[in-house]
Amino acid sequence: MEKPPRLTVDEYFDLIALIFACRGTCDRLRTATVIRDTDNILIAGGYNGALSGLSHCDDIGHLMVDNHCIRTNHGEENALLNCLDLSRIKNGVATIIGNPCYPCARKVLSKNIKRLRYIGTYHNPFGGDHVKELCDQKGVIMEFIDVSEVLKTLEKAINFLQGPGGAFRNLPKIMIKFEEGK
Ligand SMILES: [Zn+2]
Ligand SMILES: [Zn+2]
């Protein structure tokens, strides 16, 4: 049996960001951020959610101000708050679900990442129109990845895990099925 291909580093972090987003608690966008250092080691990760111990948007509704929900820390903010060594972010790569709002981009770029990779778009990021300009000024490469690409990566990961030595190797063949009209 031919070995299914292993994920690239970018694909690996795209899926980690996706897994983090599975814990998001504001359904305006279930976002997440993961940051890796120059050795491709995961050093920070977070998803959007209310403060620890407080009720979440999913439970009590959004807290809206000027058409933005302010209840949650955004994924970027929580990633930075969870990072045990902020100095390692320098020249690293941030992978984010959705295009970031300006305040989050400002914070992440303050720690001097070299690449900002974002998966899919969000229609209403606060100050989002100015993020590209900020990246240009800081010399940060901004990359967009379509969600359909990440879905293909997920399929690749499942195939890999069904291959020799993979966690799903003894399960019946798993397929991602697409339903029309959804
Ligand atoms: Zn919310
Ligand atoms: Zn934000």
Side-chain angles (χ1 to χ4, degrees):
M1 183 185 166
E2 205 181 307
K3 272 192 189 162
R6 181 176 173 233
L7 299 186
T8 65
V9 173
D10 275 339
E11 289 171 339
Y12 166 63
F13 281 98
D14 290 350
L15 290 193
I16 296 174
L18 207 66
I19 297 294
F20 268 79
C22 293
R23 288 280 299 161
T25 64
C26 177
D27 69 4
R28 288 173 65 81
L29 183 68
R30 299 206 193 278
T31 181
T33 295
V34 293
I35 304 173
R36 68 210 207 221
D37 71 4
T38 51
D39 290 329
N40 293 327
I41 293 171
L42 176 67
I43 50 167
Y47 53 86
N48 65 331
L51 277 64
S52 170
L54 301 190
S55 299
H56 293 288
C57 296
D58 282 345
D59 304 320
I60 56 167
H62 303 295
L63 180 57
M64 299 300 295
V65 174
D66 295 338
N67 201 29
H68 295 278
C69 174
I70 61 162
R71 187 180 303 289
T72 63
N73 278 337
H74 291 181
E76 298 90 331
E77 292 172 310
N78 275 332
L80 293 173
L81 289 167
N82 292 339
C83 182
L84 297 178
D85 186 354
L86 291 167
S87 70
R88 284 171 64 188
I89 295 177
K90 192 172 183 187
N91 295 323
V93 180
T95 305
I96 298 173
I97 306 288
N99 41 315
C101 71
Y102 194 88
C104 283
R106 199 178 57 212
K107 287 168 200 160
V108 173
L109 266 61
S110 291
K111 300 314 294 179
N112 296 310
I113 54 166
K114 72 165 192 296
R115 205 147 61 92
L116 188 157
R117 209 174 145 77
Y118 69 100
I119 298 167
T121 52
Y122 180 56
H123 69 286
N124 189 34
F126 180 76
D129 290 348
H130 301 282
V131 170
K132 174 77 175 73
E133 190 185 320
L134 188 67
C135 284
D136 288 348
Q137 286 167 359
K138 285 285 284 178
V140 171
I141 302 160
M142 204 173 171
E143 292 170 0
F144 168 70
I145 306 101
D146 196 89
V147 279
S148 62
E149 272 182 61
V150 183
L151 191 56
K152 278 188 213 135
T153 304
L154 185 60
E155 204 167 24
K156 184 175 169 183
I158 290 171
N159 283 334
F160 187 73
L161 293 174
Q162 293 197 114
F168 300 154
R169 66 192 178 284
N170 296 325
L171 296 184
K173 173 87 180 149
I174 302 160
M175 316 273 286
I176 293 182
K177 194 177 142 204
F178 297 93
E179 233 174 289
E180 287 297 323
K182 174 78 169 70

